[in-house]
């Protein structure tokens, strides 16, 4: 359809978001060193000097960072002969984010129409934590892989490509394991539907697809296991998850008591956030609470099932691997929750009584609200005061 292929609006939204980020960054960075806060400095080190490892697992080293994003930035720096690493990182992040926006728009337009697609892209780019898409983090590499994955899985139905992209996403961020799980759920759903028709196993196309794509999926799982080994010094960590349902040296143990403790801490943090709202972490918890209700409502309004499952898998991943109740990374993981950005238009559509001017006014208010907080968080981030 012609409407689904229109790139004009997402391009304009992307241009505004990039211009807003560059303006704010120029305003808050007073010296060149401020351009490389937090993990940006680690990625810069990888781009300029490559990976280095001295064999000591308990010392912070750049091998803990996945290679996809720094590889893309280093390639672009060499190809275009860019001398300044900060410019190369911003250029790589911008290209990856632009590709994400185009695919996000096209995928959601195919599933839910242009209005939902345009609203979702606008919310994605205006999100308070969206500056991570431009500042030199690995988020844009993952978001592009994720959107290519969803497009291959739900629009073009190229399952071999979806499996490849799910495995490739693990090279961007460890959370890519969620896409592998979602792909397996997609195959399982199709397999169960055909199995109910009493089709023989040998002729089942979903089982055949799984067998064909298994090596690719296993490669992604192997990369993820290697990451856990480097990060947590446990070569059998992934095996422990599958066999004994216990994480031996990970941030938490996956037993019922620990999971309940993590969830109760999240609830108490939400109460603190509602009362004080003093920093980026508390605000992230408020957004997490709001996203839960938005996604729940959108599920009732028949948002695509696999975006709902994606949100659930993200939540499970964060409970298992990011249980720290005051973790500043929560906002970054909220940025990866595409389901939230898709769900908000469903809520607005209901609240507006399907009146267009009320809908767009409500959306504009949310975008302005988000951008105000984005400005505050950029100042915190580049002055290395991200938590407080």
């Amino acid at each position: 359809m012609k409407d689904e292929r229109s790139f004009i609006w997402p391009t304009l939204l992307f241009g505004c978001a990039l211009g807003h980020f560059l303006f704010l960054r120029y305003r808050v960075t007073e010296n060149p060193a401020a351009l490389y806060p937090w993990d940006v400095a680690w990625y810069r080190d990888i781009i300029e000097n490559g990976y280095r490892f001295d064999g000591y697992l308990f010392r912070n080293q750049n091998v803990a960072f996945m290679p996809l994003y720094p590889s893309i930035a280093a390639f672009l720096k060499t190809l275009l002969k860019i001398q300044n690493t900060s410019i190369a990182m911003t250029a790589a992040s911008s290209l990856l984010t632009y590709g994400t926006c185009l695919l996000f728009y096209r995928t959601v337009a195919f599933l839910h129409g242009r209005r939902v697609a345009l609203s979702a892209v606008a919310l994605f780019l205006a999100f308070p934590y969206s500056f991570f898409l431009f500042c030199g983090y690995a988020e844009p590499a993952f978001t592009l892989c994720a959107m290519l994955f969803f497009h291959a899985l739900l629009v073009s139905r190229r399952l071999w490509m979806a499996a490849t992209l799910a495995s490739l996403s693990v090279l961007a961020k460890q959370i890519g394991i969620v896409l592998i799980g979602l792909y397996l759920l997609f195959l399982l759903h199709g397999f169960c539907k055909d199995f109910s028709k009493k089709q023989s196993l040998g002729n089942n196309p979903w089982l055949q697809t799984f067998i064909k794509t298994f090596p690719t999926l296993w490669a992604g799982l192997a990369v993820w296991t290697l990451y856990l080994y480097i990060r947590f010094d446990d070569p059998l960590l992934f095996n422990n998850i599958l066999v004994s349902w216990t994480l031996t040296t990970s941030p938490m143990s996956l037993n019922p008591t620990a999971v309940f403790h993590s969830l109760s801490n999240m609830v108490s943090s939400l109460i603190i956030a509602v009362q004080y709202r003093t920093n980026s972490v508390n605000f992230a918890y408020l957004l997490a609470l709001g996203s839960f209700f938005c996604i729940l409502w959108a599920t009732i309004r028949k948002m695509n099932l696999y975006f709902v499952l994606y949100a659930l898998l993200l939540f499970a991943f964060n409970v298992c691997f990011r249980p720290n109740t005051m973790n500043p990374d929560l906002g970054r993981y909220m940025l990866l929750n595409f389901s939230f950005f898709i769900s908000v238009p469903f809520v607005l559509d209901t609240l507006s009584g399907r009146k267009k001017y009320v809908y767009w006014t409500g959306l504009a208010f949310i975008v302005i609200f988000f951008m105000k907080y984005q400005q505050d968080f950029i100042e915190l981030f580049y002055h290395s005061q991200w938590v407080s």
Side-chain angles (χ1 to χ4, degrees):
M1 293 176 62
K2 184 178 179 180
D3 286 343
E4 294 167 8
R5 297 175 184 273
S6 175
F7 296 150
I8 297 176
W9 282 110
T11 300
L12 289 174
L13 291 173
F14 167 79
C16 292
L18 177 60
H20 183 250
F21 166 78
L22 292 175
F23 170 75
L24 292 177
R25 188 178 72 170
Y26 175 78
R27 197 179 69 174
V28 302
T29 51
E30 294 134 356
N31 59 74
L35 290 173
Y36 305 100
W38 302 99
D39 290 352
V40 181
W42 286 103
Y43 286 116
R44 176 198 184 187
D45 180 54
I46 295 170
I47 293 168
E48 294 180 347
N49 305 308
Y51 281 98
R52 290 173 294 179
F53 181 57
D54 62 7
Y56 189 67
L57 289 168
F58 298 98
R59 179 182 297 141
N60 289 333
Q61 301 186 67
N62 63 18
V63 290
F65 294 87
M66 293 300 192
L68 185 59
Y69 171 73
S71 298
I72 294 172
F75 173 77
L76 193 65
K77 181 182 180 182
T78 303
L79 180 67
L80 301 181
K81 298 180 180 180
I82 301 173
Q83 299 298 322
N84 190 304
T85 304
S86 176
I87 295 176
M89 295 172 75
T90 302
S93 298
S94 300
L95 289 174
L96 292 168
T97 302
Y98 180 56
T100 299
C101 293
L102 296 182
L103 285 162
F104 193 16
Y105 178 84
R106 185 170 180 181
T107 302
V108 179
F110 178 84
L111 297 171
H112 298 297
R114 284 194 304 155
R115 185 169 72 166
V116 175
L118 184 60
S119 303
V121 172
L123 292 166
F124 173 64
L125 290 172
F127 194 62
Y129 303 89
S130 66
F131 63 89
F132 283 110
L133 296 171
F134 302 105
C135 70
Y137 269 60
E139 270 62 23
F142 174 80
T143 56
L144 181 59
C145 286
M147 273 300 110
L148 285 168
F149 167 81
F150 279 113
H151 191 273
L153 191 73
L154 303 176
V155 180
S156 62
R157 296 284 178 166
R158 297 176 180 175
L159 299 185
W160 63 270
M161 183 179 293
T164 302
L165 290 164
S167 295
L168 184 65
S169 68
V170 179
L171 293 174
K173 289 185 70 67
Q174 59 166 325
I175 204 170
I177 192 73
V178 166
L179 297 183
I180 295 179
L182 190 62
Y183 175 80
L184 293 174
L185 287 176
F186 183 86
L187 293 184
L188 181 62
H189 183 215
F191 175 82
C192 291
K193 285 199 301 185
D194 284 357
F195 189 75
S196 63
K197 300 175 183 177
K198 297 183 179 180
Q199 188 178 37
S200 64
L201 289 178
N203 295 326
N204 192 294
W206 302 101
L207 183 59
Q208 293 174 1
T209 300
F210 172 74
I211 294 172
K212 291 177 182 178
T213 57
F214 178 77
T216 302
L217 297 174
W218 184 249
L221 292 173
V223 169
W224 192 67
T225 307
L226 179 62
Y227 171 83
L228 294 178
Y229 171 67
I230 294 174
R231 189 71 179 267
F232 302 120
D233 189 24
D234 184 1
L236 298 178
L237 188 55
F238 183 65
N239 181 66
N240 288 334
I241 298 173
L242 294 178
V243 178
S244 62
W245 201 242
T246 301
L247 288 173
T248 55
T249 57
S250 69
M252 68 172 289
S253 172
L254 278 180
N255 58 66
T257 304
V259 171
F260 176 78
H261 178 68
S262 179
L263 292 174
S264 64
N265 283 341
M266 292 173 71
V267 172
S268 63
S269 294
L270 282 171
I271 296 173
I272 294 172
V274 172
Q275 289 178 334
Y276 298 103
R277 301 189 299 274
T278 55
N279 58 48
S280 58
V281 181
N282 287 342
F283 187 78
Y285 277 105
L286 286 175
L287 285 177
L289 180 63
S291 71
F292 171 78
F293 289 108
C294 288
I295 293 171
L296 179 62
W297 182 255
T299 303
I300 297 172
R301 293 289 304 277
K302 298 183 179 180
M303 182 173 72
N304 183 269
L305 170 65
Y306 292 99
F307 277 108
V308 177
L309 292 174
Y310 174 72
L312 291 174
L313 289 173
L314 275 181
F315 175 76
F317 180 91
N318 282 321
V319 168
C320 296
F321 291 93
R322 297 283 178 177
N324 186 350
T325 57
M326 298 305 288
N327 196 319
D329 286 341
L330 177 61
R332 288 198 291 134
Y333 281 93
M334 282 289 299
L335 177 63
L336 307 180
N337 191 354
F338 302 107
S339 311
F340 169 56
F341 305 118
I342 299 171
S343 69
V344 172
F346 284 88
V347 177
L348 284 174
D349 190 58
T350 302
L351 296 176
S352 65
R354 303 200 173 185
K355 295 178 181 178
K356 289 185 178 179
Y357 71 93
V358 178
Y359 175 92
W360 291 112
T361 301
L363 180 67
F365 175 81
I366 295 173
V367 167
I368 293 171
F369 175 76
F370 277 178
M371 292 182 73
K372 169 60 176 68
Y373 272 93
Q374 183 185 135
Q375 177 179 340
D376 296 340
F377 292 166
I378 285 178
E379 292 181 2
L380 290 175
F381 180 75
Y382 280 104
H383 288 109
S384 297
Q385 298 171 345
W386 183 227
V387 178
S388 58

